[in-house]
Amino acid sequence: YLTNNSLTAGLQDLKSQVSVSYEKLINPNSLTYSYQCWLYISSPTSVQTQIFFRKSGTNNEFEVDISGQSLDLKAGQGNATAPVQIMNITNQFPIQKWTYLVVNVYNMKTFEAYINGKLAKTVNISIDVIPSFKTSTLYIGNAALSGYVTKFIRLEKTLDAKTVWNNYLSGNGITSYFSSFMPYGLNMSISKGEEVQRIVNVF
């Protein structure tokens, strides 16, 4: 769903790619923004595969991709079809486990990546990789991926470390060992009259 400053997607099978046109994005050509999501990768990929990316025509302009357990961030135009490598976020991205990922971009010059609430890497770049974001479409998922994504959010601002940590602690609603078997959760609300007193996470 859309708010005045974000785009949010619910639970999605990564094999079923969805696209969001730039007209539906808030401030689509902003050079400062962030992405956050919970990822569940069922099995490692054998080739480099985009998890989410923005693309105009044949040109990818921003992407987070995975190969095996190596998670990479790319942006700008490296050549006619692919963005340049900005950072290797991690070589040990968890498989078969829900993982919280945040990517902050400050004026397309400073890039931060958080995994499970903790800063994984920061990179400052001096090369010009500013892409023409305005008419590029956002894609989430890839037919070559096996897994799920939930709470995918794009913001036209960055997230500070405290907010990232608090978001991680709040979880994705799928927090128990059952998440190893299914990408679903169950909450139970306890009410007194019409007023909800407590929400309990069952699985």
Side-chain angles (χ1 to χ4, degrees), residues 75-182:
Q77 289 299 315
N79 54 47
T81 59
V84 297
Q85 177 81 24
I86 297 297
M87 70 165 80
N88 168 247
I89 299 172
T90 179
N91 287 320
Q92 296 179 332
F93 188 79
I95 302 299
Q96 297 182 354
K97 180 180 180 181
W98 280 105
T99 304
Y100 179 55
L101 172 69
V102 173
V103 176
N104 281 332
V105 180
Y106 300 85
N107 200 34
M108 287 299 292
K109 292 297 182 184
T110 301
F111 298 79
E112 292 178 342
Y114 290 81
I115 294 179
N116 287 339
K118 298 179 181 179
L119 182 64
K121 193 166 290 186
T122 300
V123 173
N124 296 307
I125 62 172
S126 57
I127 59 174
D128 184 10
V129 297
I130 296 177
S132 55
F133 268 155
K134 187 172 183 181
T135 59
S136 59
T137 300
L138 170 64
Y139 295 88
I140 307 167
N142 194 302
L145 289 172
S146 177
Y148 299 87
V149 61
T150 192
K151 289 192 175 180
F152 185 99
I153 303 174
R154 175 193 177 270
L155 293 169
E156 57 167 348
K157 63 179 182 179
T158 56
L159 299 175
D160 60 74
K162 182 178 180 181
T163 300
V164 171
W165 180 249
N166 287 339
N167 289 349
Y168 167 65
L169 290 181
S170 69
N172 65 351
I174 312 166
T175 55
S176 77
Y177 66 92
F178 282 99
S179 64
S180 299
F181 306 100
M182 66 181 81

Side-chain angles (χ1 to χ4, degrees), residues 56-76:
S56 179
T58 58
N59 298 327
N60 284 8
E61 298 176 336
F62 180 90
E63 67 182 53
V64 171
D65 56 45
I66 191 167
S67 177
Q69 289 181 264
S70 180
L71 196 70
D72 296 317
L73 171 67
K74 300 177 181 179

